[in-house]
Amino acid sequence: MRSETESDLPPTRELPASARREPSRPPRLDGADPLSPTRLAAAGWGVGLHVTLTALGAGPLGIDQPLAYLIPAALAVLGPRTSGRAGPRDAIRPAPAGPERAHRGNRLPRWVQLACEAAGWYVFAAVGEPGLSGVGGPGLSTWLAAALGAVTAIAAITVLTRRGLSARPAARRRRRVACGLVVAPLAVALAVTAARHHHTVLLAAWTGVSLLMLVVAVVTLTRGQYGWQLPERVHHVDLTDIAPPRHRVSLIVPAREEPVLGRTLTQILAGDYPESLVEIVVMVSHDEVDRATREIAEQIARRHPNVRVVAPEGSRRSKPLSLEDARQHCTGDLVGIVDAESLIAPGLLTYVNTLASRQPDVGIFQGGVQLMNVRGPDRADQATGRDGAGAAGPRAVLRRLDTDASWWRARNCLEYYIWFMSRLRFQARARFIPLGGNTVFIRRDVLDRLGGWDVACLTEDCDLGVRASVAGVRTIVFYHPELTTREETPESLTKLVVQRTRWMMGFLQVLFKGDWRLLPGARQRLMAAEMLAMPLFQAVAGVLLPVSLVLTLFLTAPTGLVIVFWLPMGATVMAVFTEQAAFREFADAYDLDVGRWDSVRLVLSAPLYQLALSVAAVRAAGRLLRGRLEWEKTSHSGAHHGVGRVSLEGVS
């Protein structure tokens, strides 16, 4: 079925002609002449920048000369385009999913660039003569040595680029060995210098870590407050301007061992959108484990002809695999995803239809998802010993801390509120958005052009959002309590860590996959790298936590550096207290009974919640390194049913 607005949709962005090639051709590194005027100008810029930074470090900053040269050399390896050392772009390498999903051209491998920079450092160390510096700054020998070293590095890169690099495994191994031999003396010299000046190294390293943490804290704070910076950014949903029903909507409901599936399907069918324009594709498993869930879906399908139950055979099941299997059965103009435990708003489909009718240039519509249960299980349930809650001894204490405690639930609910109310809307405006995996609606022709979902990715929603951003598909995000899809927090803190482990592994998969490198703007690529690499930062932060405690007690530093060390804490405290306003707004919007103790608990739980996320990040990195990519399911019990202002007691 052809979408009625298909002709109005903007086409997906085409790759530039220089980036397209036949998939059968081997990768090349000589796509452009390294000695062209443009390349020579870039090389000259790189030499000038390197010499200037070296002179600045060895002169006014008083840095040791070899180290002063190594700082811009390291920057040249991390950002070769900035320092003019990139060499020509490599031809595009076809991704495993097909030649149409190509990555931004590679330059020389980083380890080859590192070897070239090491060669430049050797020239600098041989030509430069420490001690000949003038009073006002570095002497002529330092300038000359830095220039010769930078020219040597660029010349080595140029020679390797013009010759091209063989892609054969044996040739790659030989190059790695050769580069390792080149870099080894420099590594030994750095290790000896670091051991000799270990206190200075610690101060420098911790200053860098503190500044990085400050940047992350400030970025998180500002983007999290985006939705409240201007009034029009808050009041962006008009529930009175409704278009007549026009678009046929296919809703995919992936389910696996979901006892609450019946409530979800009944809630969808009870909406105000015409049933003739709604198609529900329920994905279950064809095995004995999922028999109860399958029977629930089949019972509802017998009463409603617009409900289709699909049960593929096979032991390997996951949400992205179910979504991709279901795509073949969708016939609507819009394809939406609703999780099996979700309770969607009655007017959600009507509002999405309005957006799709009024904004034909938009390809993806992301709705809000909100966790509702800010507290743990009821006291009455605990008194009766449900699920073993009445047990005594150490197990009871552990269960109380893991399952029955509420401190992390309130923060988890607030995290969702800020994410969908503010952060995702900022990302949509910036034209880079990792989509949510629930309450997202995509025009079917756009979904087909993007190639559907990547079944190997643990965060198929994030991956699809990245590819849509690369293709220039416009996405809008809307959030309103009357349109929000309601969900529940994980059953326990342990389950939360497991859930976040899967999400973080998926983000890292998307990071290493590299589609984000094709984003059109440098700002978008930087934002993508920062967001997708956040699990790595959280893992490092978790590992460095005990180190930071030791350094705080025993590391002696100047007053200025001590202030720098505490700046991230100040930004974090500011974020925690600004969250209080969002928490009160969230409670008022959904008519939740929260008091002062809930606010106090929200503040006190902030470091513990971040510690739990760091544990999940470390676990994600470990599982990814071991190649354990199996899907870890989050179970649901329906704790969000009946919570909040909108009563669901009449729905059965």
Side-chain angles (χ1 to χ4, degrees):
M1 179 182 298
R2 177 183 172 87
S3 171
E4 298 179 42
T5 60
E6 182 177 351
S7 59
D8 299 323
L9 283 172
T12 54
R13 184 182 294 115
E14 294 291 338
L15 293 175
S18 61
R20 293 195 298 265
R21 66 173 176 84
E22 295 298 327
S24 58
R25 297 178 184 174
R28 298 182 56 183
L29 288 165
D30 55 349
D33 184 9
L35 300 181
S36 65
T38 302
R39 299 296 181 188
L40 291 176
W45 159 256
V47 172
L49 182 62
H50 195 126
V51 172
T52 302
L53 293 178
T54 303
L56 178 64
L61 298 181
I63 302 175
D64 185 62
Q65 271 200 333
L67 184 60
Y69 180 91
L70 282 178
I71 292 175
L75 294 176
V77 175
L78 296 176
R81 191 175 184 183
T82 303
S83 297
R85 290 160 155 72
R89 288 185 183 276
D90 184 6
I92 293 300
R93 237 182 349 189
E100 73 282 353
R101 189 180 300 171
H103 293 270
R104 183 172 292 276
N106 293 333
R107 303 174 179 92
L108 287 173
R110 298 289 183 185
W111 43 275
V112 175
Q113 295 178 34
L114 180 60
C116 295
E117 296 297 336
W121 181 82
Y122 297 143
V123 173
F124 173 82
V127 178
E129 297 182 16
L132 297 182
S133 300
V135 177
L140 181 61
S141 62
T142 302
W143 290 86
L144 177 62
L148 289 177
V151 169
T152 300
I154 291 182
I157 290 176
T158 302
V159 170
L160 292 175
T161 301
R162 290 181 66 85
R163 291 186 59 186
L165 296 180
S166 172
R168 296 179 180 178
R172 286 201 302 266
R173 285 194 295 269
R174 288 195 297 269
R175 285 197 304 270
R176 289 181 186 274
V177 172
C179 291
L181 294 176
V182 173
V183 176
L186 175 59
V188 172
L190 286 177
V192 173
T193 304
R196 186 181 304 131
H197 305 285
H198 60 276
H199 188 269
T200 304
V201 172
L202 277 177
L203 284 179
W206 200 245
T207 301
V209 170
S210 299
L211 292 176
L212 178 61
M213 294 176 66
L214 175 63
V215 170
V216 172
V218 171
V219 167
T220 303
L221 174 61
T222 54
R223 293 178 183 174
Q225 295 299 314
Y226 170 82
W228 292 275
Q229 291 174 11
L230 294 175
E232 57 267 24
R233 293 179 181 173
V234 177
H235 308 291
H236 64 287
V237 174
D238 185 2
L239 297 179
T240 61
D241 184 19
I242 300 300
R246 173 185 176 187
H247 294 276
R248 178 173 172 81
V249 182
S250 295
L251 287 179
I252 303 176
V253 184
R256 174 72 172 172
E257 297 183 77
E258 294 291 355
V260 297
L261 176 62
R263 187 72 173 266
T264 299
L265 296 179
T266 304
Q267 180 77 4
I268 297 174
L269 294 168
D272 58 5
Y273 202 65
E275 190 169 323
S276 59
L277 294 178
V278 179
E279 174 189 48
I280 303 177
V281 181
V282 185
M283 297 299 299
V284 294
S285 299
H286 190 77
D287 55 24
E288 195 63 27
V289 175
D290 215 25
R291 179 178 180 180
T293 303
R294 187 169 62 253
E295 290 178 350
I296 294 174
E298 290 173 347
Q299 289 176 6
I300 296 179
R302 283 193 288 268
R303 299 196 302 266
H304 299 274
N306 62 328
V307 178
R308 178 185 303 175
V309 180
V310 181
E313 297 184 358
S315 58
R316 179 174 172 264
R317 302 306 306 168
S318 65
K319 181 178 178 180
L321 187 59
S322 295
L323 293 177
E324 187 61 19
D325 288 342
R327 184 165 69 97
Q328 307 170 12
H329 301 276
C330 294
T331 60
D333 305 328
L334 300 172
V335 178
I337 300 97
V338 177
D339 286 347
E341 77 280 6
S342 300
L343 296 176
I344 73 170
L348 175 63
L349 299 185
T350 299
Y351 186 74
V352 172
N353 169 78
T354 300
L355 292 178
S357 301
R358 302 281 169 79
Q359 303 191 51
D361 61 323
V362 176
I364 301 177
F365 309 89
Q366 173 69 67
V369 180
Q370 185 58 60
L371 305 182
M372 295 301 300
N373 53 321
V374 296
R375 295 192 179 92
D378 295 336
R379 298 289 182 179
D381 293 333
Q382 298 177 26
T384 58
R386 189 187 68 172
D387 294 335
R395 289 189 177 182
V397 175
L398 292 176
R399 176 184 171 80
R400 173 63 182 162
L401 295 175
D402 185 37
T403 305
D404 300 332
S406 300
W407 61 268
W408 60 271
R409 298 181 191 274
R411 181 151 289 279
N412 197 195
C413 293
L414 176 62
E415 186 181 28
Y416 264 64
Y417 184 71
I418 294 176
W419 179 259
F420 284 96
M421 177 67 178
S422 179
R423 182 63 185 267
L424 270 190
R425 290 165 59 197
F426 169 83
Q427 298 294 151
R429 178 177 176 270
R431 296 298 181 95
F432 170 74
I433 176 170
L435 294 174
N438 190 6
T439 318
V440 58
F441 298 85
I442 311 169
R443 296 188 190 270
R444 187 161 61 89
D445 60 301
V446 171
L447 184 60
D448 291 339
R449 291 206 304 264
L450 293 175
W453 290 275
D454 184 351
V455 299
C457 186
L458 294 175
T459 50
E460 78 296 331
D461 45 1
C462 173
D463 174 72
L464 183 64
V466 170
R467 287 188 281 119
S469 301
V470 168
V473 177
R474 188 183 169 201
T475 301
I476 62 172
V477 179
F478 61 92
Y479 187 97
H480 192 282
E482 299 297 332
L483 300 174
T484 299
T485 296
R486 303 188 176 201
E487 287 190 349
E488 61 180 320
T489 62
E491 290 181 330
S492 65
L493 182 59
T494 302
K495 295 293 182 63
L496 174 67
V497 171
V498 170
Q499 180 193 66
R500 292 307 173 89
T501 297
R502 186 181 74 242
W503 292 0
M504 291 176 178
M505 290 176 63
F507 267 53
L508 293 178
Q509 281 182 307
V510 178
L511 173 69
F512 299 143
K513 187 178 177 182
D515 286 327
W516 57 273
R517 295 175 183 168
L518 281 174
L519 288 166
R523 179 171 176 265
Q524 291 173 291
R525 294 193 294 273
L526 182 61
M527 185 185 305
E530 171 258 323
M531 176 173 288
L532 298 175
M534 185 58 66
L536 293 177
F537 173 80
Q538 291 178 309
V540 172
V543 173
L544 290 181
L545 180 61
V547 178
S548 65
L549 297 177
V550 174
L551 291 179
T552 303
L553 296 176
F554 298 104
L555 185 62
T556 304
T559 304
L561 289 184
V562 173
I563 295 176
V564 172
F565 296 162
W566 285 98
L567 284 178
M569 178 64 70
T572 302
V573 170
M574 185 183 300
V576 169
F577 280 97
T578 56
E579 288 172 349
Q580 289 298 316
F583 185 65
R584 299 305 309 182
E585 182 181 286
F586 160 63
D588 293 341
Y590 293 94
D591 197 21
L592 299 176
D593 182 19
V594 298
R596 293 183 179 179
W597 172 240
D598 293 288
S599 298
V600 172
R601 183 170 51 191
L602 200 68
V603 173
L604 298 179
S605 64
L608 297 177
Y609 192 78
Q610 292 302 319
L611 179 60
L613 296 184
S614 295
V615 171
V618 173
R619 185 171 181 265
R623 289 178 63 87
L624 203 60
L625 288 174
R626 297 196 306 270
R628 299 190 58 182
L629 302 178
E630 63 270 17
W631 183 273
E632 292 184 296
K633 176 179 165 50
T634 303
S635 56
H636 307 97
S637 61
H640 56 306
H641 291 181
V643 178
R645 175 172 39 183
V646 181
S647 176
L648 302 174
E649 295 302 323
V651 181
S652 59

